[in-house]
């Protein structure tokens, strides 16, 4: 998605440790018009996947997921993150490790908000090692519903998340695919 | 806002301890079309307030704030919540106590995302004791910028937050105003 790649080039910052900071438009400050364009793009990319509901993880997934939900006309559920949780029967939970923050969080979704015949679209801001997506796939598995699509805003294509998802056969779409952050420079995968 | 009041009546749940659960459309599952209507309504209510930027707090404020940002054509910044934070010079921080969760969080906003001549609109999902709004007012004060509006999705008008804001003279608009949750029933303030 050219608009997104241009924005990354313009205001994204490459930091030591293979970090791409996009807090100027995605995960701290948010550009609502860009989010709306991303929502439209997700709606187009997944229009044949028969999606009934979008799931994401708080907080950075919420803006793109809600915009996608608007243009796809489906509800959105954001999983809550907790350091730890007293387990109850009322929620699906999974463990998600963040390599960036080097901490583990439980994510949880209230069982009322996944229905037996749902066909889910997972949306997230970043795909690197694929931990958050794995957590949401685990939740879908517990709920015994199918995941028909995975939509990512920015994918680091050289990390293992991409391959992990490819192996599942689930329809994956990433709006921006990064080939490398070497030499403090963002290089995109050629389409 | 009738659409919102109807939704609250339809799927809101009153729980012991003066709690109104709206996790079916606002703060766990999200109704994107309702969020868009709320965004339009905020844009209408604050059209004369010369707003340059919206600030909110993760996570439940994000969806309504981003929709308001879309229709007002201004950027949105969501404050991050932390249990505690190593203070640096690069962020504004404030302490926010949650009566519901009985925990205290620091909220922080990167200094790059508030500009000297900003006129802020604070948006949040709930107004009860006004702690989150106070935290954001404190941040605006540190940044030496003015707050020209406060937009709330659901206000519990009988708690002290409403009065606290009224005393500041800042333009306050709440899309739904609750007079009481007595007898497990939601009663709205008559307009």
């Amino acid at each position: 998605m050219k608009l997104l790649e241009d924005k990354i080039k313009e205001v994204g910052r490459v930091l030591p440790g293979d970090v791409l900071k996009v807090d100027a438009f995605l995960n701290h400050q948010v550009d609502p018009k860009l989010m709306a364009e991303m929502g439209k793009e997700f709606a187009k990319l997944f229009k044949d996947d028969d999606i009934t509901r979008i799931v994401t993880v708080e907080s950075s997934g919420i803006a793109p997921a809600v915009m996608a939900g608007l243009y796809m006309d489906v509800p959105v559920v954001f999983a809550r993150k907790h350091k730890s949780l007293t387990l109850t029967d009322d929620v699906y939970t999974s463990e998600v490790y963040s390599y960036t923050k080097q901490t583990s969080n439980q994510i949880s979704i209230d069982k009322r908000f996944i229905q037996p015949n749902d066909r889910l679209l997972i949306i997230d801001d970043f795909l690197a090692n694929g931990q958050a997506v794995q957590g949401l796939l685990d939740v879908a598995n517990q709920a015994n519903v199918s995941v028909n699509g995975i939509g990512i805003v920015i994918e680091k294509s050289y990390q293992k998340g991409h391959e992990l998802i490819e192996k599942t056969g689930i329809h994956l779409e990433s709006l921006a695919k990064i080939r490398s952050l070497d030499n403090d420079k963002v290089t995109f995968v050629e389409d």
Side-chain angles (χ1 to χ4, degrees), chain A residues 65-96:
Chain A
V66 170
M67 287 299 181
L70 181 65
Y71 294 106
M72 298 175 78
D73 198 11
V74 295
V76 174
V77 182
F78 61 88
R80 292 289 196 173
K81 272 181 201 161
H82 316 260
K83 282 286 168 231
S84 68
L85 191 75
T86 314
L87 289 181
T88 75
D89 281 333
D90 301 333
V91 294
Y92 302 111
T93 69
S94 189
E95 198 74 18
V96 172

PDB file of all heavy atoms in Angstrom, chain A residues 65-96:
ATOM      1  N   ALA A  65      -8.123  -1.997  13.180  1.00  0.00           N
ATOM      2  CA  ALA A  65      -9.169  -3.023  13.225  1.00  0.00           C
ATOM      3  C   ALA A  65     -10.562  -2.394  13.169  1.00  0.00           C
ATOM      4  O   ALA A  65     -11.447  -2.882  12.465  1.00  0.00           O
ATOM      5  CB  ALA A  65      -9.026  -3.877  14.485  1.00  0.00           C
ATOM      6  N   VAL A  66     -10.760  -1.298  13.908  1.00  0.00           N
ATOM      7  CA  VAL A  66     -12.081  -0.660  13.927  1.00  0.00           C
ATOM      8  C   VAL A  66     -12.400  -0.060  12.558  1.00  0.00           C
ATOM      9  O   VAL A  66     -13.541  -0.119  12.087  1.00  0.00           O
ATOM     10  CB  VAL A  66     -12.175   0.386  15.065  1.00  0.00           C
ATOM     11  CG1 VAL A  66     -13.444   1.224  14.943  1.00  0.00           C
ATOM     12  CG2 VAL A  66     -12.162  -0.317  16.417  1.00  0.00           C
ATOM     13  N   MET A  67     -11.378   0.496  11.887  1.00  0.00           N
ATOM     14  CA  MET A  67     -11.623   1.031  10.540  1.00  0.00           C
ATOM     15  C   MET A  67     -11.947  -0.097   9.555  1.00  0.00           C
ATOM     16  O   MET A  67     -12.823   0.049   8.705  1.00  0.00           O
ATOM     17  CB  MET A  67     -10.415   1.832  10.051  1.00  0.00           C
ATOM     18  CG  MET A  67     -10.249   3.165  10.736  1.00  0.00           C
ATOM     19  SD  MET A  67     -11.675   4.284  10.494  1.00  0.00           S
ATOM     20  CE  MET A  67     -11.092   5.729  11.407  1.00  0.00           C
ATOM     21  N   ALA A  68     -11.248  -1.213   9.678  1.00  0.00           N
ATOM     22  CA  ALA A  68     -11.571  -2.361   8.816  1.00  0.00           C
ATOM     23  C   ALA A  68     -13.000  -2.827   9.101  1.00  0.00           C
ATOM     24  O   ALA A  68     -13.772  -3.100   8.187  1.00  0.00           O
ATOM     25  CB  ALA A  68     -10.571  -3.496   9.038  1.00  0.00           C
ATOM     26  N   GLY A  69     -13.359  -2.883  10.383  1.00  0.00           N
ATOM     27  CA  GLY A  69     -14.713  -3.291  10.767  1.00  0.00           C
ATOM     28  C   GLY A  69     -15.771  -2.368  10.198  1.00  0.00           C
ATOM     29  O   GLY A  69     -16.853  -2.808   9.787  1.00  0.00           O
ATOM     30  N   LEU A  70     -15.446  -1.074  10.148  1.00  0.00           N
ATOM     31  CA  LEU A  70     -16.391  -0.090   9.594  1.00  0.00           C
ATOM     32  C   LEU A  70     -16.683  -0.386   8.130  1.00  0.00           C
ATOM     33  O   LEU A  70     -17.842  -0.416   7.712  1.00  0.00           O
ATOM     34  CB  LEU A  70     -15.807   1.321   9.751  1.00  0.00           C
ATOM     35  CG  LEU A  70     -16.681   2.472   9.255  1.00  0.00           C
ATOM     36  CD1 LEU A  70     -17.956   2.601  10.082  1.00  0.00           C
ATOM     37  CD2 LEU A  70     -15.904   3.793   9.286  1.00  0.00           C
ATOM     38  N   TYR A  71     -15.625  -0.641   7.346  1.00  0.00           N
ATOM     39  CA  TYR A  71     -15.821  -0.833   5.907  1.00  0.00           C
ATOM     40  C   TYR A  71     -16.245  -2.261   5.560  1.00  0.00           C
ATOM     41  O   TYR A  71     -16.747  -2.516   4.476  1.00  0.00           O
ATOM     42  CB  TYR A  71     -14.570  -0.399   5.135  1.00  0.00           C
ATOM     43  CG  TYR A  71     -14.353   1.094   5.253  1.00  0.00           C
ATOM     44  CD1 TYR A  71     -13.345   1.621   6.066  1.00  0.00           C
ATOM     45  CD2 TYR A  71     -15.206   1.986   4.609  1.00  0.00           C
ATOM     46  CE1 TYR A  71     -13.173   2.990   6.209  1.00  0.00           C
ATOM     47  CE2 TYR A  71     -15.058   3.357   4.749  1.00  0.00           C
ATOM     48  CZ  TYR A  71     -14.036   3.855   5.544  1.00  0.00           C
ATOM     49  OH  TYR A  71     -13.891   5.204   5.697  1.00  0.00           O
ATOM     50  N   MET A  72     -16.051  -3.205   6.479  1.00  0.00           N
ATOM     51  CA  MET A  72     -16.501  -4.577   6.243  1.00  0.00           C
ATOM     52  C   MET A  72     -17.854  -4.842   6.895  1.00  0.00           C
ATOM     53  O   MET A  72     -18.441  -5.907   6.696  1.00  0.00           O
ATOM     54  CB  MET A  72     -15.460  -5.567   6.786  1.00  0.00           C
ATOM     55  CG  MET A  72     -14.110  -5.457   6.096  1.00  0.00           C
ATOM     56  SD  MET A  72     -12.839  -6.527   6.840  1.00  0.00           S
ATOM     57  CE  MET A  72     -13.296  -8.105   6.134  1.00  0.00           C
ATOM     58  N   ASP A  73     -18.296  -3.890   7.714  1.00  0.00           N
ATOM     59  CA  ASP A  73     -19.572  -4.009   8.419  1.00  0.00           C
ATOM     60  C   ASP A  73     -19.634  -5.254   9.313  1.00  0.00           C
ATOM     61  O   ASP A  73     -20.601  -6.019   9.264  1.00  0.00           O
ATOM     62  CB  ASP A  73     -20.729  -4.004   7.399  1.00  0.00           C
ATOM     63  CG  ASP A  73     -22.054  -3.673   8.070  1.00  0.00           C
ATOM     64  OD1 ASP A  73     -22.039  -3.247   9.247  1.00  0.00           O
ATOM     65  OD2 ASP A  73     -23.104  -3.883   7.443  1.00  0.00           O
ATOM     66  N   VAL A  74     -18.604  -5.448  10.107  1.00  0.00           N
ATOM     67  CA  VAL A  74     -18.584  -6.545  11.087  1.00  0.00           C
ATOM     68  C   VAL A  74     -18.113  -5.984  12.433  1.00  0.00           C
ATOM     69  O   VAL A  74     -17.402  -4.980  12.473  1.00  0.00           O
ATOM     70  CB  VAL A  74     -17.630  -7.694  10.660  1.00  0.00           C
ATOM     71  CG1 VAL A  74     -18.128  -8.369   9.381  1.00  0.00           C
ATOM     72  CG2 VAL A  74     -16.189  -7.221  10.501  1.00  0.00           C
ATOM     73  N   PRO A  75     -18.487  -6.630  13.539  1.00  0.00           N
ATOM     74  CA  PRO A  75     -17.994  -6.184  14.848  1.00  0.00           C
ATOM     75  C   PRO A  75     -16.509  -6.479  15.029  1.00  0.00           C
ATOM     76  O   PRO A  75     -15.951  -7.354  14.362  1.00  0.00           O
ATOM     77  CB  PRO A  75     -18.830  -6.996  15.849  1.00  0.00           C
ATOM     78  CG  PRO A  75     -19.379  -8.146  15.079  1.00  0.00           C
ATOM     79  CD  PRO A  75     -19.455  -7.736  13.644  1.00  0.00           C
ATOM     80  N   VAL A  76     -15.906  -5.737  15.936  1.00  0.00           N
ATOM     81  CA  VAL A  76     -14.484  -5.881  16.248  1.00  0.00           C
ATOM     82  C   VAL A  76     -14.352  -6.236  17.718  1.00  0.00           C
ATOM     83  O   VAL A  76     -15.072  -5.678  18.546  1.00  0.00           O
ATOM     84  CB  VAL A  76     -13.742  -4.553  15.970  1.00  0.00           C
ATOM     85  CG1 VAL A  76     -12.289  -4.620  16.425  1.00  0.00           C
ATOM     86  CG2 VAL A  76     -13.845  -4.175  14.496  1.00  0.00           C
ATOM     87  N   VAL A  77     -13.473  -7.153  18.044  1.00  0.00           N
ATOM     88  CA  VAL A  77     -13.202  -7.464  19.451  1.00  0.00           C
ATOM     89  C   VAL A  77     -11.719  -7.264  19.701  1.00  0.00           C
ATOM     90  O   VAL A  77     -10.896  -7.782  18.948  1.00  0.00           O
ATOM     91  CB  VAL A  77     -13.573  -8.927  19.787  1.00  0.00           C
ATOM     92  CG1 VAL A  77     -13.320  -9.200  21.275  1.00  0.00           C
ATOM     93  CG2 VAL A  77     -15.026  -9.207  19.451  1.00  0.00           C
ATOM     94  N   PHE A  78     -11.393  -6.464  20.708  1.00  0.00           N
ATOM     95  CA  PHE A  78      -9.972  -6.396  21.044  1.00  0.00           C
ATOM     96  C   PHE A  78      -9.683  -7.194  22.306  1.00  0.00           C
ATOM     97  O   PHE A  78     -10.336  -7.033  23.326  1.00  0.00           O
ATOM     98  CB  PHE A  78      -9.411  -4.968  21.100  1.00  0.00           C
ATOM     99  CG  PHE A  78     -10.014  -4.007  22.100  1.00  0.00           C
ATOM    100  CD1 PHE A  78      -9.541  -3.927  23.401  1.00  0.00           C
ATOM    101  CD2 PHE A  78     -11.033  -3.139  21.710  1.00  0.00           C
ATOM    102  CE1 PHE A  78     -10.069  -3.007  24.298  1.00  0.00           C
ATOM    103  CE2 PHE A  78     -11.579  -2.220  22.609  1.00  0.00           C
ATOM    104  CZ  PHE A  78     -11.089  -2.156  23.902  1.00  0.00           C
ATOM    105  N   ALA A  79      -8.710  -8.108  22.186  1.00  0.00           N
ATOM    106  CA  ALA A  79      -8.278  -8.899  23.335  1.00  0.00           C
ATOM    107  C   ALA A  79      -7.626  -7.969  24.342  1.00  0.00           C
ATOM    108  O   ALA A  79      -6.906  -7.041  23.986  1.00  0.00           O
ATOM    109  CB  ALA A  79      -7.302  -9.984  22.895  1.00  0.00           C
ATOM    110  N   ARG A  80      -7.905  -8.227  25.600  1.00  0.00           N
ATOM    111  CA  ARG A  80      -7.290  -7.487  26.686  1.00  0.00           C
ATOM    112  C   ARG A  80      -5.962  -8.127  27.058  1.00  0.00           C
ATOM    113  O   ARG A  80      -5.836  -9.354  27.032  1.00  0.00           O
ATOM    114  CB  ARG A  80      -8.220  -7.521  27.906  1.00  0.00           C
ATOM    115  CG  ARG A  80      -9.507  -6.734  27.702  1.00  0.00           C
ATOM    116  CD  ARG A  80      -9.204  -5.286  27.695  1.00  0.00           C
ATOM    117  NE  ARG A  80     -10.368  -4.436  27.874  1.00  0.00           N
ATOM    118  CZ  ARG A  80     -10.266  -3.118  28.024  1.00  0.00           C
ATOM    119  NH1 ARG A  80      -9.082  -2.521  28.051  1.00  0.00           N
ATOM    120  NH2 ARG A  80     -11.336  -2.381  28.153  1.00  0.00           N
ATOM    121  N   LYS A  81      -4.990  -7.295  27.400  1.00  0.00           N
ATOM    122  CA  LYS A  81      -3.693  -7.787  27.862  1.00  0.00           C
ATOM    123  C   LYS A  81      -3.632  -7.682  29.385  1.00  0.00           C
ATOM    124  O   LYS A  81      -4.011  -6.658  29.947  1.00  0.00           O
ATOM    125  CB  LYS A  81      -2.567  -6.885  27.332  1.00  0.00           C
ATOM    126  CG  LYS A  81      -2.015  -7.244  25.992  1.00  0.00           C
ATOM    127  CD  LYS A  81      -0.896  -6.263  25.657  1.00  0.00           C
ATOM    128  CE  LYS A  81      -0.627  -6.200  24.173  1.00  0.00           C
ATOM    129  NZ  LYS A  81       0.100  -4.975  23.803  1.00  0.00           N
ATOM    130  N   HIS A  82      -3.109  -8.700  30.022  1.00  0.00           N
ATOM    131  CA  HIS A  82      -2.933  -8.664  31.467  1.00  0.00           C
ATOM    132  C   HIS A  82      -1.568  -9.251  31.776  1.00  0.00           C
ATOM    133  O   HIS A  82      -1.097 -10.133  31.085  1.00  0.00           O
ATOM    134  CB  HIS A  82      -3.964  -9.519  32.196  1.00  0.00           C
ATOM    135  CG  HIS A  82      -5.355  -9.385  31.690  1.00  0.00           C
ATOM    136  ND1 HIS A  82      -6.286  -8.606  32.315  1.00  0.00           N
ATOM    137  CD2 HIS A  82      -5.985  -9.932  30.622  1.00  0.00           C
ATOM    138  CE1 HIS A  82      -7.426  -8.676  31.650  1.00  0.00           C
ATOM    139  NE2 HIS A  82      -7.271  -9.474  30.621  1.00  0.00           N
ATOM    140  N   LYS A  83      -0.986  -8.782  32.844  1.00  0.00           N
ATOM    141  CA  LYS A  83       0.249  -9.417  33.316  1.00  0.00           C
ATOM    142  C   LYS A  83      -0.079 -10.837  33.768  1.00  0.00           C
ATOM    143  O   LYS A  83       0.613 -11.787  33.486  1.00  0.00           O
ATOM    144  CB  LYS A  83       0.872  -8.617  34.469  1.00  0.00           C
ATOM    145  CG  LYS A  83       1.615  -7.388  34.022  1.00  0.00           C
ATOM    146  CD  LYS A  83       2.960  -7.717  33.363  1.00  0.00           C
ATOM    147  CE  LYS A  83       3.504  -6.477  32.669  1.00  0.00           C
ATOM    148  NZ  LYS A  83       3.892  -6.730  31.284  1.00  0.00           N
ATOM    149  N   SER A  84      -1.145 -10.962  34.516  1.00  0.00           N
ATOM    150  CA  SER A  84      -1.631 -12.291  34.866  1.00  0.00           C
ATOM    151  C   SER A  84      -3.114 -12.149  35.144  1.00  0.00           C
ATOM    152  O   SER A  84      -3.606 -11.046  35.351  1.00  0.00           O
ATOM    153  CB  SER A  84      -0.929 -12.830  36.096  1.00  0.00           C
ATOM    154  OG  SER A  84      -1.325 -12.073  37.218  1.00  0.00           O
ATOM    155  N   LEU A  85      -3.801 -13.246  35.152  1.00  0.00           N
ATOM    156  CA  LEU A  85      -5.254 -13.177  35.230  1.00  0.00           C
ATOM    157  C   LEU A  85      -5.730 -14.338  36.074  1.00  0.00           C
ATOM    158  O   LEU A  85      -5.250 -15.453  35.943  1.00  0.00           O
ATOM    159  CB  LEU A  85      -5.812 -13.287  33.806  1.00  0.00           C
ATOM    160  CG  LEU A  85      -7.281 -12.997  33.586  1.00  0.00           C
ATOM    161  CD1 LEU A  85      -7.546 -11.494  33.652  1.00  0.00           C
ATOM    162  CD2 LEU A  85      -7.715 -13.518  32.232  1.00  0.00           C
ATOM    163  N   THR A  86      -6.677 -14.077  36.951  1.00  0.00           N
ATOM    164  CA  THR A  86      -7.339 -15.177  37.624  1.00  0.00           C
ATOM    165  C   THR A  86      -8.228 -15.843  36.590  1.00  0.00           C
ATOM    166  O   THR A  86      -9.132 -15.218  36.048  1.00  0.00           O
ATOM    167  CB  THR A  86      -8.208 -14.656  38.779  1.00  0.00           C
ATOM    168  OG1 THR A  86      -7.443 -13.719  39.524  1.00  0.00           O
ATOM    169  CG2 THR A  86      -8.634 -15.790  39.681  1.00  0.00           C
ATOM    170  N   LEU A  87      -7.939 -17.075  36.265  1.00  0.00           N
ATOM    171  CA  LEU A  87      -8.690 -17.724  35.203  1.00  0.00           C
ATOM    172  C   LEU A  87     -10.127 -17.972  35.632  1.00  0.00           C
ATOM    173  O   LEU A  87     -10.400 -18.410  36.729  1.00  0.00           O
ATOM    174  CB  LEU A  87      -8.031 -19.044  34.815  1.00  0.00           C
ATOM    175  CG  LEU A  87      -6.713 -18.890  34.073  1.00  0.00           C
ATOM    176  CD1 LEU A  87      -6.152 -20.256  33.698  1.00  0.00           C
ATOM    177  CD2 LEU A  87      -6.903 -18.053  32.809  1.00  0.00           C
ATOM    178  N   THR A  88     -11.031 -17.672  34.718  1.00  0.00           N
ATOM    179  CA  THR A  88     -12.429 -18.003  34.966  1.00  0.00           C
ATOM    180  C   THR A  88     -12.922 -18.765  33.753  1.00  0.00           C
ATOM    181  O   THR A  88     -12.224 -18.892  32.764  1.00  0.00           O
ATOM    182  CB  THR A  88     -13.289 -16.735  35.150  1.00  0.00           C
ATOM    183  OG1 THR A  88     -13.486 -16.141  33.864  1.00  0.00           O
ATOM    184  CG2 THR A  88     -12.655 -15.739  36.079  1.00  0.00           C
ATOM    185  N   ASP A  89     -14.123 -19.259  33.827  1.00  0.00           N
ATOM    186  CA  ASP A  89     -14.705 -19.991  32.704  1.00  0.00           C
ATOM    187  C   ASP A  89     -15.209 -19.075  31.611  1.00  0.00           C
ATOM    188  O   ASP A  89     -15.605 -19.524  30.548  1.00  0.00           O
ATOM    189  CB  ASP A  89     -15.868 -20.849  33.194  1.00  0.00           C
ATOM    190  CG  ASP A  89     -15.363 -22.113  33.850  1.00  0.00           C
ATOM    191  OD1 ASP A  89     -14.260 -22.555  33.496  1.00  0.00           O
ATOM    192  OD2 ASP A  89     -16.072 -22.649  34.702  1.00  0.00           O
ATOM    193  N   ASP A  90     -15.208 -17.782  31.872  1.00  0.00           N
ATOM    194  CA  ASP A  90     -15.903 -16.866  30.978  1.00  0.00           C
ATOM    195  C   ASP A  90     -15.040 -16.276  29.875  1.00  0.00           C
ATOM    196  O   ASP A  90     -15.530 -15.558  29.024  1.00  0.00           O
ATOM    197  CB  ASP A  90     -16.501 -15.711  31.799  1.00  0.00           C
ATOM    198  CG  ASP A  90     -17.460 -16.234  32.853  1.00  0.00           C
ATOM    199  OD1 ASP A  90     -18.033 -17.306  32.625  1.00  0.00           O
ATOM    200  OD2 ASP A  90     -17.607 -15.570  33.886  1.00  0.00           O
ATOM    201  N   VAL A  91     -13.740 -16.539  29.922  1.00  0.00           N
ATOM    202  CA  VAL A  91     -12.860 -15.955  28.905  1.00  0.00           C
ATOM    203  C   VAL A  91     -11.962 -17.009  28.272  1.00  0.00           C
ATOM    204  O   VAL A  91     -11.616 -18.005  28.899  1.00  0.00           O
ATOM    205  CB  VAL A  91     -11.955 -14.835  29.496  1.00  0.00           C
ATOM    206  CG1 VAL A  91     -12.775 -13.637  29.951  1.00  0.00           C
ATOM    207  CG2 VAL A  91     -11.084 -15.354  30.638  1.00  0.00           C
ATOM    208  N   TYR A  92     -11.631 -16.785  27.003  1.00  0.00           N
ATOM    209  CA  TYR A  92     -10.549 -17.532  26.378  1.00  0.00           C
ATOM    210  C   TYR A  92      -9.259 -16.765  26.653  1.00  0.00           C
ATOM    211  O   TYR A  92      -9.228 -15.543  26.536  1.00  0.00           O
ATOM    212  CB  TYR A  92     -10.747 -17.615  24.859  1.00  0.00           C
ATOM    213  CG  TYR A  92     -12.046 -18.247  24.440  1.00  0.00           C
ATOM    214  CD1 TYR A  92     -13.049 -17.489  23.840  1.00  0.00           C
ATOM    215  CD2 TYR A  92     -12.268 -19.601  24.622  1.00  0.00           C
ATOM    216  CE1 TYR A  92     -14.248 -18.063  23.441  1.00  0.00           C
ATOM    217  CE2 TYR A  92     -13.472 -20.195  24.228  1.00  0.00           C
ATOM    218  CZ  TYR A  92     -14.441 -19.416  23.647  1.00  0.00           C
ATOM    219  OH  TYR A  92     -15.629 -19.990  23.253  1.00  0.00           O
ATOM    220  N   THR A  93      -8.201 -17.469  27.029  1.00  0.00           N
ATOM    221  CA  THR A  93      -6.933 -16.769  27.276  1.00  0.00           C
ATOM    222  C   THR A  93      -5.801 -17.468  26.557  1.00  0.00           C
ATOM    223  O   THR A  93      -5.869 -18.666  26.255  1.00  0.00           O
ATOM    224  CB  THR A  93      -6.558 -16.736  28.776  1.00  0.00           C
ATOM    225  OG1 THR A  93      -6.224 -18.068  29.185  1.00  0.00           O
ATOM    226  CG2 THR A  93      -7.666 -16.175  29.624  1.00  0.00           C
ATOM    227  N   SER A  94      -4.748 -16.701  26.288  1.00  0.00           N
ATOM    228  CA  SER A  94      -3.546 -17.284  25.731  1.00  0.00           C
ATOM    229  C   SER A  94      -2.348 -16.455  26.189  1.00  0.00           C
ATOM    230  O   SER A  94      -2.513 -15.306  26.614  1.00  0.00           O
ATOM    231  CB  SER A  94      -3.626 -17.342  24.208  1.00  0.00           C
ATOM    232  OG  SER A  94      -2.553 -18.096  23.690  1.00  0.00           O
ATOM    233  N   GLU A  95      -1.194 -17.038  26.115  1.00  0.00           N
ATOM    234  CA  GLU A  95       0.024 -16.382  26.571  1.00  0.00           C
ATOM    235  C   GLU A  95       0.737 -15.778  25.360  1.00  0.00           C
ATOM    236  O   GLU A  95       0.919 -16.463  24.341  1.00  0.00           O
ATOM    237  CB  GLU A  95       0.928 -17.455  27.224  1.00  0.00           C
ATOM    238  CG  GLU A  95       2.005 -16.943  28.116  1.00  0.00           C
ATOM    239  CD  GLU A  95       1.508 -16.443  29.465  1.00  0.00           C
ATOM    240  OE1 GLU A  95       0.373 -16.802  29.866  1.00  0.00           O
ATOM    241  OE2 GLU A  95       2.253 -15.681  30.105  1.00  0.00           O
ATOM    242  N   VAL A  96       1.120 -14.525  25.454  1.00  0.00           N
ATOM    243  CA  VAL A  96       1.828 -13.867  24.343  1.00  0.00           C
ATOM    244  C   VAL A  96       3.127 -13.265  24.849  1.00  0.00           C
ATOM    245  O   VAL A  96       3.122 -12.425  25.744  1.00  0.00           O
ATOM    246  CB  VAL A  96       0.951 -12.752  23.709  1.00  0.00           C
ATOM    247  CG1 VAL A  96       1.759 -11.946  22.703  1.00  0.00           C
ATOM    248  CG2 VAL A  96      -0.280 -13.355  23.040  1.00  0.00           C
TER     249      VAL A  96
END
